[in-house]
């Protein structure tokens, strides 16, 4: 009981002294600050509504998934604009977004202007905000007498994510493969028939009698490479090659060779080689991937075939279709994710495709010299 009385006395004494100071000092002023700025903006929660089509049934399904990769926002303190340079997926729901907004030390309230009127709402990190169109956000000073206005824009892709966005480009912009030109000259100088392709440490060419020749010393010497099947099963026309890192092992290339054995074939033959370059690595051979009757997703015989490695998949690109393989060339699937450039009634005939160092896909019609650059919208 004595403790409670003592505490009460101390409190009353403090209130009396504080009141005396405030009441007697005629020079006292409330400190005001005009330092008002938004210093931080990020998305704390947003959802995607992803559309999928079952390969087995063809049924469409839409499911909700939280946005996992949050964009970085730029705050322009000169023009008072806030925006993201990396666009959000098209399937992202911008009408219901949670945002984290912070202001400078001496700023007061943050408010958001209504979409349809001049009504202002106090910002809360737990309230959903509609950012489907640019929004006006104000930050007030600590006396609520002045404010600064920012325009917040959430940029969003205008095409479906997971698809290739094609852009027509000048013909001269098509990447020149100087490495291929170098190897073609070395192959010709060595008296070989044609260049196949090159990996990290090895390059390959066809001999005049149809064997695969390999060089491991930049073309100084060429020797027959090992095969696990007869030479007659090697492709002889419309040949394509791709080499890419083999994820399970370091210093290892996974390489695919495809093409047609003879005119009239309906299936392309596919060979693969896992080439290891590490210390104590064993010599590897080319392995034939035979066609199995139960495999409905084989690689059809296609003229002007190109193989490229694009976003962790091997793409087989021809004049009429793009097919993707995720199992090392055994099965090949078409999908809405990988499509050719759409030019209305344009029909391609003689084409080729490559990728560049920036991860873009390039497609060229060699008959018309028309060129497209494609990027995968993620």
């Amino acid at each position: 009981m004595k403790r409670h009385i003592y505490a009460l006395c101390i409190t009353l004494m403090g209130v009396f002294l504080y009141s005396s100071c405030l009441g007697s000092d005629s020079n006292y002023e409330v400190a005001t600050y005009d330092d008002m700025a938004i210093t931080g903006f990020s998305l704390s929660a947003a959802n995607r509504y992803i559309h999928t089509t079952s390969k087995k049934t063809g049924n469409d399904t839409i499911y909700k998934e939280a946005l996992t990769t949050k964009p970085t926002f730029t705050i322009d303190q000169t023009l008072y604009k806030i925006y993201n340079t990396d666009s959000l997926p098209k399937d992202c729901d911008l009408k219901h977004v949670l945002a984290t907004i912070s202001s400078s030390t001496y700023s007061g309230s943050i408010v958001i202007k209504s979409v349809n009127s001049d009504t202002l709402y106090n910002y809360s990190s737990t309230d959903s905000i509609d950012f489907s169109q640019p929004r006006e956000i104000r930050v007030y000073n600590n006396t609520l007498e002045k404010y600064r206005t920012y325009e917040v824009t959430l940029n969003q892709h205008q095409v479906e994510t997971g698809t290739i966005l094609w852009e027509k480009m000048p013909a001269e912009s098509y990447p020149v493969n100087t490495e291929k030109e170098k190897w073609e000259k070395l192959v010709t100088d060595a008296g070989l028939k044609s260049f196949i392709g090159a990996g990290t440490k090895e390059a390959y060419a066809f001999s005049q009698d149809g064997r695969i020749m390999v060089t491991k010393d930049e073309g100084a010497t060429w020797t027959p490479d090992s095969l696990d099947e007869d030479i007659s099963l090697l492709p002889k026309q419309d040949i394509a090659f791709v080499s890419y890192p083999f994820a399970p092992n370091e210093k290892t290339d996974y390489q695919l060779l495809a093409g047609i054995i003879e005119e009239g074939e309906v299936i392309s033959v596919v060979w693969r080689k896992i080439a290891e370059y590490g210390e104590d690595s064993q010599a590897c051979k080319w392995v034939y991937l035979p066609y199995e009757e139960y495999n409905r997703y084989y690689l059809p015989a296609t003229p002007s075939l190109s193989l490229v490695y694009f976003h962790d998949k091997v793409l087989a690109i021809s004049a009429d279709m793009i097919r993707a393989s995720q199992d090392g060339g055994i099965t090949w699937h078409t999908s809405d994710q990988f499509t050719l450039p759409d030019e209305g009634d344009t029909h391609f005939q003689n084409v080729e495709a490559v990728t560049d160092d920036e991860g873009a896909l390039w497609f060229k019609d060699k008959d018309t010299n028309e060129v497209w650059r494609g990027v995968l919208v993620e």
Side-chain angles (χ1 to χ4, degrees):
M1 183 66 179
K2 290 182 180 180
R3 287 199 305 269
H4 293 304
I5 294 174
Y6 178 76
L8 179 59
C9 291
I10 293 297
T11 302
L12 291 174
M13 185 179 294
V15 171
F16 173 76
L17 291 173
Y18 181 70
S19 300
S20 298
C21 291
L22 289 180
S24 62
D25 189 356
S26 59
N27 295 322
Y28 174 80
E29 293 182 1
V30 176
T32 61
Y33 300 92
D34 291 334
D35 179 19
M36 45 199 170
I38 292 178
T39 56
F41 187 97
S42 62
L43 298 185
S44 52
N47 291 318
R48 297 177 60 186
Y49 289 87
I50 301 173
H51 171 270
T52 62
T53 302
S54 172
K55 293 181 179 179
K56 291 184 178 180
T57 65
N59 294 331
D60 292 337
T61 303
I62 297 178
Y63 65 93
K64 183 172 73 172
E65 180 181 278
L67 180 69
T68 55
T69 302
K70 305 295 195 308
T72 300
F73 283 85
T74 297
I75 302 178
D76 188 329
Q77 300 291 5
T78 301
L79 299 176
Y80 305 118
K81 294 182 180 292
I82 301 173
Y83 56 90
N84 54 308
T85 53
D86 294 330
S87 295
L88 291 159
K90 185 181 180 182
D91 53 26
C92 187
D93 178 15
L94 298 190
K95 287 182 174 292
H96 307 90
V97 172
L98 294 183
T100 300
I101 308 173
S102 56
S103 60
S104 53
T105 305
Y106 298 112
S107 296
S109 299
I110 298 174
V111 300
I112 302 174
K113 185 179 178 182
S114 170
V115 174
N116 303 315
S117 68
D118 291 332
T119 304
L120 300 175
Y121 299 96
N122 285 325
Y123 156 74
S124 171
S125 61
T126 59
D127 289 342
S128 176
I129 305 173
D130 180 358
F131 279 116
S132 59
Q133 58 183 285
R135 297 297 302 271
E136 179 181 312
I137 294 183
R138 298 179 183 179
V139 56
Y140 282 82
N141 66 355
N142 64 332
T143 62
L144 304 181
E145 296 174 347
K146 298 180 181 180
Y147 65 86
R148 181 166 290 151
T149 300
Y150 290 80
E151 182 185 70
V152 180
T153 303
L154 266 60
N155 292 313
Q156 186 175 37
H157 286 298
Q158 298 306 304
V159 296
E160 294 291 344
T161 55
T163 60
I164 297 179
L165 178 62
W166 290 102
E167 179 184 8
K168 204 165 187 178
M169 303 293 288
E172 60 272 16
S173 64
Y174 190 77
V176 177
N177 192 338
T178 55
E179 189 72 9
K180 181 180 178 182
E181 293 177 350
K182 178 199 78 173
W183 280 112
E184 286 176 339
K185 184 178 186 307
L186 289 172
V187 167
T188 300
D189 293 344
L192 300 174
K193 183 179 180 179
S194 60
F195 174 61
I196 296 174
T200 303
K201 298 290 185 180
E202 298 180 356
Y204 311 95
F206 281 116
S207 65
Q208 295 296 338
D209 58 0
R211 292 176 297 166
I212 295 181
M213 308 295 288
V214 59
T215 180
K216 302 179 182 181
D217 53 12
E218 293 294 318
T221 58
W222 296 82
T223 57
D225 212 356
S226 300
L227 310 177
D228 79 331
E229 287 287 351
D230 191 76
I231 187 177
S232 63
L233 294 174
L234 288 173
K236 298 175 177 60
Q237 61 187 49
D238 296 304
I239 296 167
F241 170 90
V242 66
S243 176
Y244 57 94
F246 186 50
N249 297 332
E250 293 184 353
K251 299 182 179 179
T252 304
D253 290 341
Y254 194 100
Q255 300 172 142
L256 289 176
L257 172 66
I260 304 171
I261 295 178
E262 59 185 24
E263 197 73 35
E265 294 282 351
V266 296
I267 299 174
S268 291
V269 293
V270 180
W271 290 73
R272 68 114 167 113
K273 180 180 181 181
I274 300 175
E276 299 181 3
Y277 309 122
E279 190 175 349
D280 299 326
S281 295
Q282 297 182 352
C284 302
K285 63 176 62 177
W286 286 95
V287 176
Y288 175 63
L289 303 180
Y291 163 70
E292 304 288 353
E293 291 186 3
Y294 62 82
N295 181 10
R296 297 185 295 120
Y297 301 104
Y298 58 84
L299 182 62
T302 53
S304 62
L305 178 69
S306 294
L307 294 179
V308 298
Y309 187 62
F310 186 67
H311 285 264
D312 301 323
K313 298 178 180 65
V314 178
L315 303 186
I317 302 176
S318 61
D320 61 348
M321 194 75 67
I322 297 180
R323 296 173 174 84
S325 178
Q326 298 186 76
D327 54 14
I330 299 173
T331 60
W332 301 84
H333 298 268
T334 60
S335 71
D336 293 336
Q337 183 179 26
F338 300 112
T339 57
L340 293 174
D342 185 4
E343 280 289 291
D345 295 331
T346 299
H347 298 286
F348 303 116
Q349 296 293 331
N350 187 19
V351 302
E352 68 177 23
V354 297
T355 55
D356 63 20
D357 294 337
E358 297 178 354
L361 178 63
W362 291 80
F363 180 85
K364 179 179 181 180
D365 187 326
K366 293 188 285 186
D367 290 338
T368 63
N369 211 31
E370 293 181 345
V371 170
W372 289 264
R373 179 180 182 271
V375 294
L376 189 65
V377 181
E378 296 183 291

